[in-house]
Amino acid sequence: MNQDTINALKDKFPEQITGMTSFRGEETVTVRRESLIEIAGCLRDELDFEFLMDLTAVDYPEREERFEMVYNFYSFKNNLRLRIKAPVNGKEPVIASLAPLWSGANWFEREVYDMFGIKFEGHPDLRRILMYDTFIGHPLRKDYP
């Protein structure tokens, strides 16, 4: 990973970045959920991460911040990958939608909403995508029966 990208994020968002890890050449930056849209916009507009490859959630029922959103970005220009993580409260799981920045986030966010129950603020059409409309629950939560 290009250390310049990591340094640029640390310099621009020193209070919003809560952790950084590197494992086998894969860089992960953990951010405050309130800063996600601003940081994602910077990745796209200033640091050339023009492609949101994927996003998903992970359920940690033992944590106060029960869910963790995981976003995988790619820069075609620089041939770089970057993972961003953001914790989401389990009692009222809400985070900003990235659909206004990347239209490809639309269906990914609908899947996370359907499977985990995390709501995406600002999403243009947040509704179930895999389960039928009257389905009760969210199958990928670890407490789902």
Side-chain angles (χ1 to χ4, degrees):
M1 170 53 125
N2 187 332
Q3 196 58 41
D4 293 340
T5 301
I6 298 297
N7 291 336
L9 283 175
K10 286 194 302 193
D11 291 345
K12 185 160 183 151
F13 303 103
E15 299 299 316
Q16 293 92 341
I17 293 175
T18 60
M20 303 179 99
T21 60
S22 180
F23 181 71
R24 295 185 179 170
E26 295 183 9
E27 304 294 330
T28 303
V29 177
T30 304
V31 304
R32 298 184 193 285
R33 80 175 152 272
E34 300 83 14
S35 305
L36 176 66
I37 202 86
E38 183 181 9
I39 292 170
C42 174
L43 287 173
R44 186 190 70 179
D45 299 337
E46 298 174 34
L47 300 174
D48 299 316
F49 283 86
E50 56 274 286
F51 182 43
L52 171 63
M53 296 178 359
D54 190 22
L55 67 87
T56 191
V58 182
D59 184 4
Y60 297 102
E62 69 283 355
R63 292 184 184 175
E64 184 177 333
E65 300 278 5
R66 176 178 177 167
F67 301 105
E68 188 170 67
M69 285 300 304
V70 181
Y71 302 87
N72 293 296
F73 296 96
Y74 183 71
S75 170
F76 289 106
K77 179 180 178 182
N78 300 310
N79 190 28
L80 297 173
R81 297 174 192 273
L82 180 66
R83 180 178 301 119
I84 298 287
K85 292 183 177 183
V88 179
N89 187 302
K91 293 180 182 164
E92 293 183 36
V94 178
I95 193 164
S97 172
L98 293 188
L101 296 175
W102 287 277
S103 60
N106 187 320
W107 283 23
F108 291 142
E109 290 177 353
R110 285 181 59 194
E111 181 180 11
V112 170
Y113 167 70
D114 200 0
M115 297 290 106
F116 291 94
I118 297 171
K119 295 179 182 165
F120 293 88
E121 208 166 59
H123 190 281
D125 187 22
L126 193 60
R127 59 189 164 100
R128 288 193 180 271
I129 193 168
L130 298 173
M131 306 307 291
Y132 51 91
D133 289 337
T134 57
F135 186 85
I136 306 293
H138 304 286
L140 291 183
R141 285 189 177 197
K142 290 189 178 170
D143 57 3
Y144 183 76

